[in-house]
Amino acid sequence: RNSELELLLANALADINTLRKLLHATPITKIQDAVLPTPTTAPLRQSYGRKLNLALGVSLESLPEVILDRIVSFVDPDSIFRLCHAVPYYKYISKAMYDIASEDALEVNSLWPTFEFPMNLRSFRKNPLHFLNYTRILKRHGLSISLGVQDLEYLNEVGPYLTPTVSVSCYTKSLLHVFTLLKSSGVKCVDFLHLMGAPRDATTTDWGILTKLQINVIDFEMGDSALFMSGLKNIFGLNALHIDRASGTDFETLFDCSSLRSIQFNHLSLESLPSIMQGIKKSITLEWVEFIGNNIPTRNAMREGIIRSNCGWELLTCLNDLNKPNGWALKRKVCSNE
């Protein structure tokens, strides 16, 4: 995620400097420098009807709205209000945030950049227009909503207000129905899906909805989720899995996901290790497998298996590679072309 954010920031900075060049302004090296005026001796052209202050030079407000809209999406919760007060263009954001927060006394970090949609819909039902206005702002800036779905009625009610990208904690067992409602509400991507228990409808043979909705990361407790795991290969764009308390030996279908890049196992049972190692060795897409909270025998068995098989993976431990006190990981070795 850090590398993705750095790439987006670099692209935004490049866009800013492109516009600054058109305005005959010197380039900047950090996005926050755009807030400060910079001296210039060249005449400045007016942009998008906003008046430029020639005495102070080029400032953040002088940039086109498309650039301003992109910049604000990278602002953290601690800075968003200060930015809105410093730059009049962003006042509509702070006004909409105030309208939402005043209803439920919500904290800023639950509003921006990801809006945690309230599970209690009292204030939503009282002032739905405030929520409509705010979610439109989120869509405009490419931001997302996080929500906890307790039942299908809740999702039916809030569905029209959702952003194209959401994160979902699913407390209902009707998972495929949830996906269907998300899709019909205009959701295109579930960035993070947390499952509370095995889906009741996981035994269905109709997995078609999973091919129409991108799901990046799924977090679930294995329990009796073996049937659900068999359907993971149908999910479009599945990048990572977090599996809690995995046990048993039926993991073959887990490694059939063509887009899967990483798996995290929490409290893996020792009996599951051989079948998981077989799946790891056969996978051509996996790059990272992390183990959290396992005991020493499990780690030692893993080390011996890696050494014996010489399967192109290396073992990283908490002592030298990971900043986690009770975890280790397998990382695919990079093949040299030399």
Side-chain angles (χ1 to χ4, degrees), residues 1-13 31 70-71 73-76 113:
R1 288 181 178 272
N2 288 337
S3 60
E4 181 180 353
L5 179 59
E6 289 174 0
L7 178 60
L8 291 172
L9 287 171
N11 290 337
L13 183 62
I31 283 184
R70 189 168 184 182
I71 289 172
S73 64
F74 298 107
V75 177
D76 60 39

PDB file of all heavy atoms in Angstrom, residues 1-13 31 70-71 73-76 113:
ATOM      1  N   ARG A   1       0.824  -1.202   0.000  1.00  0.00           N
ATOM      2  CA  ARG A   1       0.000   0.000   0.000  1.00  0.00           C
ATOM      3  C   ARG A   1       0.861   1.255   0.000  1.00  0.00           C
ATOM      4  O   ARG A   1       0.519   2.253  -0.609  1.00  0.00           O
ATOM      5  CB  ARG A   1      -0.929   0.013   1.222  1.00  0.00           C
ATOM      6  CG  ARG A   1      -2.054  -1.004   1.104  1.00  0.00           C
ATOM      7  CD  ARG A   1      -2.953  -0.935   2.316  1.00  0.00           C
ATOM      8  NE  ARG A   1      -4.054  -1.857   2.195  1.00  0.00           N
ATOM      9  CZ  ARG A   1      -5.201  -1.563   1.617  1.00  0.00           C
ATOM     10  NH1 ARG A   1      -5.382  -0.381   1.103  1.00  0.00           N
ATOM     11  NH2 ARG A   1      -6.172  -2.443   1.545  1.00  0.00           N
ATOM     12  N   ASN A   2       1.999   1.211   0.730  1.00  0.00           N
ATOM     13  CA  ASN A   2       2.872   2.379   0.761  1.00  0.00           C
ATOM     14  C   ASN A   2       3.431   2.683  -0.617  1.00  0.00           C
ATOM     15  O   ASN A   2       3.506   3.839  -1.030  1.00  0.00           O
ATOM     16  CB  ASN A   2       4.009   2.159   1.758  1.00  0.00           C
ATOM     17  CG  ASN A   2       3.526   2.229   3.199  1.00  0.00           C
ATOM     18  OD1 ASN A   2       2.492   2.831   3.471  1.00  0.00           O
ATOM     19  ND2 ASN A   2       4.256   1.622   4.107  1.00  0.00           N
ATOM     20  N   SER A   3       3.840   1.628  -1.344  1.00  0.00           N
ATOM     21  CA  SER A   3       4.398   1.846  -2.674  1.00  0.00           C
ATOM     22  C   SER A   3       3.339   2.391  -3.626  1.00  0.00           C
ATOM     23  O   SER A   3       3.632   3.230  -4.485  1.00  0.00           O
ATOM     24  CB  SER A   3       4.983   0.541  -3.219  1.00  0.00           C
ATOM     25  OG  SER A   3       3.992  -0.456  -3.304  1.00  0.00           O
ATOM     26  N   GLU A   4       2.093   1.925  -3.474  1.00  0.00           N
ATOM     27  CA  GLU A   4       1.010   2.422  -4.325  1.00  0.00           C
ATOM     28  C   GLU A   4       0.734   3.889  -4.040  1.00  0.00           C
ATOM     29  O   GLU A   4       0.552   4.691  -4.960  1.00  0.00           O
ATOM     30  CB  GLU A   4      -0.255   1.596  -4.087  1.00  0.00           C
ATOM     31  CG  GLU A   4      -1.433   2.030  -4.949  1.00  0.00           C
ATOM     32  CD  GLU A   4      -2.670   1.203  -4.684  1.00  0.00           C
ATOM     33  OE1 GLU A   4      -2.565   0.215  -3.931  1.00  0.00           O
ATOM     34  OE2 GLU A   4      -3.731   1.542  -5.220  1.00  0.00           O
ATOM     35  N   LEU A   5       0.738   4.260  -2.746  1.00  0.00           N
ATOM     36  CA  LEU A   5       0.509   5.654  -2.374  1.00  0.00           C
ATOM     37  C   LEU A   5       1.636   6.539  -2.881  1.00  0.00           C
ATOM     38  O   LEU A   5       1.396   7.644  -3.381  1.00  0.00           O
ATOM     39  CB  LEU A   5       0.390   5.768  -0.852  1.00  0.00           C
ATOM     40  CG  LEU A   5       0.178   7.184  -0.292  1.00  0.00           C
ATOM     41  CD1 LEU A   5      -1.085   7.801  -0.874  1.00  0.00           C
ATOM     42  CD2 LEU A   5       0.112   7.148   1.224  1.00  0.00           C
ATOM     43  N   GLU A   6       2.876   6.054  -2.771  1.00  0.00           N
ATOM     44  CA  GLU A   6       4.009   6.834  -3.260  1.00  0.00           C
ATOM     45  C   GLU A   6       3.908   7.069  -4.761  1.00  0.00           C
ATOM     46  O   GLU A   6       4.233   8.151  -5.260  1.00  0.00           O
ATOM     47  CB  GLU A   6       5.314   6.101  -2.922  1.00  0.00           C
ATOM     48  CG  GLU A   6       5.648   6.116  -1.430  1.00  0.00           C
ATOM     49  CD  GLU A   6       6.858   5.255  -1.119  1.00  0.00           C
ATOM     50  OE1 GLU A   6       7.416   4.650  -2.071  1.00  0.00           O
ATOM     51  OE2 GLU A   6       7.244   5.180   0.060  1.00  0.00           O
ATOM     52  N   LEU A   7       3.437   6.058  -5.491  1.00  0.00           N
ATOM     53  CA  LEU A   7       3.271   6.209  -6.934  1.00  0.00           C
ATOM     54  C   LEU A   7       2.205   7.249  -7.254  1.00  0.00           C
ATOM     55  O   LEU A   7       2.389   8.103  -8.137  1.00  0.00           O
ATOM     56  CB  LEU A   7       2.905   4.864  -7.557  1.00  0.00           C
ATOM     57  CG  LEU A   7       2.643   4.869  -9.074  1.00  0.00           C
ATOM     58  CD1 LEU A   7       3.883   5.334  -9.825  1.00  0.00           C
ATOM     59  CD2 LEU A   7       2.217   3.488  -9.540  1.00  0.00           C
ATOM     60  N   LEU A   8       1.086   7.204  -6.522  1.00  0.00           N
ATOM     61  CA  LEU A   8       0.016   8.177  -6.748  1.00  0.00           C
ATOM     62  C   LEU A   8       0.476   9.592  -6.417  1.00  0.00           C
ATOM     63  O   LEU A   8       0.170  10.547  -7.137  1.00  0.00           O
ATOM     64  CB  LEU A   8      -1.205   7.804  -5.899  1.00  0.00           C
ATOM     65  CG  LEU A   8      -1.950   6.537  -6.319  1.00  0.00           C
ATOM     66  CD1 LEU A   8      -3.008   6.178  -5.287  1.00  0.00           C
ATOM     67  CD2 LEU A   8      -2.588   6.714  -7.682  1.00  0.00           C
ATOM     68  N   LEU A   9       1.230   9.729  -5.324  1.00  0.00           N
ATOM     69  CA  LEU A   9       1.747  11.045  -4.948  1.00  0.00           C
ATOM     70  C   LEU A   9       2.726  11.566  -6.001  1.00  0.00           C
ATOM     71  O   LEU A   9       2.726  12.753  -6.336  1.00  0.00           O
ATOM     72  CB  LEU A   9       2.431  10.967  -3.582  1.00  0.00           C
ATOM     73  CG  LEU A   9       1.505  10.831  -2.371  1.00  0.00           C
ATOM     74  CD1 LEU A   9       2.311  10.534  -1.116  1.00  0.00           C
ATOM     75  CD2 LEU A   9       0.681  12.090  -2.178  1.00  0.00           C
ATOM     76  N   ALA A  10       3.559  10.663  -6.513  1.00  0.00           N
ATOM     77  CA  ALA A  10       4.511  11.071  -7.549  1.00  0.00           C
ATOM     78  C   ALA A  10       3.786  11.533  -8.807  1.00  0.00           C
ATOM     79  O   ALA A  10       4.173  12.528  -9.439  1.00  0.00           O
ATOM     80  CB  ALA A  10       5.453   9.911  -7.866  1.00  0.00           C
ATOM     81  N   ASN A  11       2.714  10.829  -9.168  1.00  0.00           N
ATOM     82  CA  ASN A  11       1.930  11.230 -10.341  1.00  0.00           C
ATOM     83  C   ASN A  11       1.250  12.575 -10.119  1.00  0.00           C
ATOM     84  O   ASN A  11       1.190  13.419 -11.026  1.00  0.00           O
ATOM     85  CB  ASN A  11       0.884  10.161 -10.664  1.00  0.00           C
ATOM     86  CG  ASN A  11       1.506   8.891 -11.202  1.00  0.00           C
ATOM     87  OD1 ASN A  11       2.616   8.915 -11.736  1.00  0.00           O
ATOM     88  ND2 ASN A  11       0.812   7.772 -11.062  1.00  0.00           N
ATOM     89  N   ALA A  12       0.721  12.772  -8.896  1.00  0.00           N
ATOM     90  CA  ALA A  12       0.080  14.050  -8.586  1.00  0.00           C
ATOM     91  C   ALA A  12       1.093  15.187  -8.636  1.00  0.00           C
ATOM     92  O   ALA A  12       0.808  16.278  -9.147  1.00  0.00           O
ATOM     93  CB  ALA A  12      -0.583  13.983  -7.210  1.00  0.00           C
ATOM     94  N   LEU A  13       2.297  14.926  -8.106  1.00  0.00           N
ATOM     95  CA  LEU A  13       3.342  15.947  -8.127  1.00  0.00           C
ATOM     96  C   LEU A  13       3.738  16.289  -9.561  1.00  0.00           C
ATOM     97  O   LEU A  13       3.961  17.460  -9.903  1.00  0.00           O
ATOM     98  CB  LEU A  13       4.554  15.456  -7.336  1.00  0.00           C
ATOM     99  CG  LEU A  13       5.725  16.439  -7.198  1.00  0.00           C
ATOM    100  CD1 LEU A  13       5.283  17.690  -6.456  1.00  0.00           C
ATOM    101  CD2 LEU A  13       6.890  15.775  -6.478  1.00  0.00           C
ATOM    102  N   ILE A  31       4.489  17.919  -2.551  1.00  0.00           N
ATOM    103  CA  ILE A  31       3.135  18.410  -2.772  1.00  0.00           C
ATOM    104  C   ILE A  31       2.775  19.515  -1.788  1.00  0.00           C
ATOM    105  O   ILE A  31       2.127  20.501  -2.142  1.00  0.00           O
ATOM    106  CB  ILE A  31       2.116  17.250  -2.674  1.00  0.00           C
ATOM    107  CG1 ILE A  31       2.154  16.425  -3.958  1.00  0.00           C
ATOM    108  CG2 ILE A  31       0.704  17.762  -2.442  1.00  0.00           C
ATOM    109  CD1 ILE A  31       1.149  15.317  -4.023  1.00  0.00           C
ATOM    110  N   ARG A  70      -7.521  16.228  -6.965  1.00  0.00           N
ATOM    111  CA  ARG A  70      -6.650  15.063  -6.808  1.00  0.00           C
ATOM    112  C   ARG A  70      -5.775  15.188  -5.562  1.00  0.00           C
ATOM    113  O   ARG A  70      -5.540  14.215  -4.849  1.00  0.00           O
ATOM    114  CB  ARG A  70      -5.775  14.912  -8.051  1.00  0.00           C
ATOM    115  CG  ARG A  70      -4.985  13.624  -8.078  1.00  0.00           C
ATOM    116  CD  ARG A  70      -4.376  13.374  -9.428  1.00  0.00           C
ATOM    117  NE  ARG A  70      -3.698  12.091  -9.476  1.00  0.00           N
ATOM    118  CZ  ARG A  70      -3.053  11.638 -10.534  1.00  0.00           C
ATOM    119  NH1 ARG A  70      -3.017  12.363 -11.634  1.00  0.00           N
ATOM    120  NH2 ARG A  70      -2.455  10.468 -10.503  1.00  0.00           N
ATOM    121  N   ILE A  71      -5.295  16.386  -5.294  1.00  0.00           N
ATOM    122  CA  ILE A  71      -4.423  16.601  -4.141  1.00  0.00           C
ATOM    123  C   ILE A  71      -5.135  16.257  -2.840  1.00  0.00           C
ATOM    124  O   ILE A  71      -4.588  15.578  -1.969  1.00  0.00           O
ATOM    125  CB  ILE A  71      -3.927  18.060  -4.113  1.00  0.00           C
ATOM    126  CG1 ILE A  71      -2.930  18.306  -5.246  1.00  0.00           C
ATOM    127  CG2 ILE A  71      -3.285  18.396  -2.769  1.00  0.00           C
ATOM    128  CD1 ILE A  71      -2.532  19.756  -5.402  1.00  0.00           C
ATOM    129  N   SER A  73      -7.366  14.230  -2.056  1.00  0.00           N
ATOM    130  CA  SER A  73      -7.621  12.816  -1.771  1.00  0.00           C
ATOM    131  C   SER A  73      -6.468  12.159  -1.025  1.00  0.00           C
ATOM    132  O   SER A  73      -6.628  11.078  -0.458  1.00  0.00           O
ATOM    133  CB  SER A  73      -7.900  12.056  -3.073  1.00  0.00           C
ATOM    134  OG  SER A  73      -6.764  12.057  -3.912  1.00  0.00           O
ATOM    135  N   PHE A  74      -5.291  12.813  -0.996  1.00  0.00           N
ATOM    136  CA  PHE A  74      -4.133  12.263  -0.290  1.00  0.00           C
ATOM    137  C   PHE A  74      -3.961  12.864   1.107  1.00  0.00           C
ATOM    138  O   PHE A  74      -3.020  12.511   1.814  1.00  0.00           O
ATOM    139  CB  PHE A  74      -2.855  12.516  -1.095  1.00  0.00           C
ATOM    140  CG  PHE A  74      -2.858  11.860  -2.444  1.00  0.00           C
ATOM    141  CD1 PHE A  74      -3.011  12.613  -3.593  1.00  0.00           C
ATOM    142  CD2 PHE A  74      -2.732  10.491  -2.573  1.00  0.00           C
ATOM    143  CE1 PHE A  74      -3.015  12.021  -4.843  1.00  0.00           C
ATOM    144  CE2 PHE A  74      -2.738   9.884  -3.814  1.00  0.00           C
ATOM    145  CZ  PHE A  74      -2.883  10.649  -4.954  1.00  0.00           C
ATOM    146  N   VAL A  75      -4.853  13.753   1.498  1.00  0.00           N
ATOM    147  CA  VAL A  75      -4.719  14.437   2.786  1.00  0.00           C
ATOM    148  C   VAL A  75      -5.237  13.540   3.909  1.00  0.00           C
ATOM    149  O   VAL A  75      -6.288  12.906   3.776  1.00  0.00           O
ATOM    150  CB  VAL A  75      -5.484  15.773   2.760  1.00  0.00           C
ATOM    151  CG1 VAL A  75      -5.425  16.460   4.119  1.00  0.00           C
ATOM    152  CG2 VAL A  75      -4.905  16.677   1.684  1.00  0.00           C
ATOM    153  N   ASP A  76      -4.512  13.496   5.038  1.00  0.00           N
ATOM    154  CA  ASP A  76      -4.909  12.636   6.150  1.00  0.00           C
ATOM    155  C   ASP A  76      -5.942  13.333   7.034  1.00  0.00           C
ATOM    156  O   ASP A  76      -6.184  14.535   6.903  1.00  0.00           O
ATOM    157  CB  ASP A  76      -3.685  12.212   6.966  1.00  0.00           C
ATOM    158  CG  ASP A  76      -2.933  13.392   7.562  1.00  0.00           C
ATOM    159  OD1 ASP A  76      -3.584  14.350   8.018  1.00  0.00           O
ATOM    160  OD2 ASP A  76      -1.690  13.355   7.578  1.00  0.00           O
ATOM    161  N   PRO A 113      -9.928   9.858   5.100  1.00  0.00           N
ATOM    162  CA  PRO A 113     -10.373   9.792   3.706  1.00  0.00           C
ATOM    163  C   PRO A 113     -11.368   8.667   3.427  1.00  0.00           C
ATOM    164  O   PRO A 113     -11.996   8.641   2.385  1.00  0.00           O
ATOM    165  CB  PRO A 113      -9.067   9.568   2.950  1.00  0.00           C
ATOM    166  CG  PRO A 113      -8.200   8.836   3.911  1.00  0.00           C
ATOM    167  CD  PRO A 113      -8.546   9.361   5.267  1.00  0.00           C
TER     168      PRO A 113
END
